[in-house]
Amino acid sequence: MRNGVKSGGAVPVAAVCAVLVLATGGCGVLGSNKGEVCADAKRTVQEYIGRLKEIAANDPAQWKQTTDQYAGRFDALAKESDDKALSKALRDQSARLRAAAAQVGNGDVAALNQTLTETPARLGEACG
């Protein structure tokens, strides 16, 4: 444990970069809000990563709070989406973030690292 955070401290730069290239291509389906929801999901991920960069590595309570907040945003997007597969992917993302938040609150970022690393593929597939 270093600076109060287990598993190396902060989210790896590679995970941040991977999340920022979240694919939203192919989301536009005629008569669907899928493209808009996918674009909002991408912005949400980017905002979340930006917010995480601002939080001190030794402040797990703030990491938890921020992660819980963004989990709620994914829940809201899931409700907004008229695409069932996308709604499920967004609800799953929210659940993963909430599970990771519980561990982050104890100073362990391993689950958060994994969740963020897997986010581009999961949401990219749902938006594709």
Side-chain angles (χ1 to χ4, degrees), residues 4 7-8 32 45 48 55 63 72 75 78-79 81 84 87-88 91-92 95 98-99 101 118:
S7 295
S32 172
V45 170
Y48 174 60
I55 301 171
W63 280 67
D75 280 334
K79 289 177 185 174
S81 176
K84 289 181 182 184
S87 289
K88 181 178 180 341
R91 281 191 311 274
D92 289 350
R98 282 201 171 85
E118 295 169 352

Side-chain angles (χ1 to χ4, degrees), residues 3-109:
N3 292 329
V5 180
K6 299 176 191 169
S7 295
V11 177
V13 174
V16 172
C17 292
V19 171
L20 292 178
V21 297
L22 177 67
T24 59
C27 287
V29 176
L30 189 60
S32 172
N33 70 349
K34 187 175 180 178
E36 181 181 324
V37 173
C38 286
D40 287 348
K42 179 180 179 180
R43 273 192 299 278
T44 297
V45 170
Q46 291 171 334
E47 289 171 10
Y48 174 60
I49 295 301
R51 179 67 185 116
L52 289 180
K53 288 177 165 181
E54 296 172 1
I55 301 171
N58 63 351
D59 190 354
Q62 186 64 37
W63 280 67
K64 181 185 182 324
Q65 180 182 14
T66 300
T67 301
D68 280 333
Q69 175 188 4
Y70 279 90
R73 291 179 76 177
F74 282 107
D75 280 334
L77 287 171
K79 289 177 185 174
E80 183 181 321
S81 176
D82 59 12
D83 182 90
K84 289 181 182 184
L86 179 56
S87 289
K88 181 178 180 341
L90 292 167
R91 281 191 311 274
D92 289 350
Q93 179 68 13
S94 177
R96 285 182 185 88
L97 284 172
R98 282 201 171 85
Q103 293 179 26
V104 168
N106 295 323
D108 185 353
V109 297

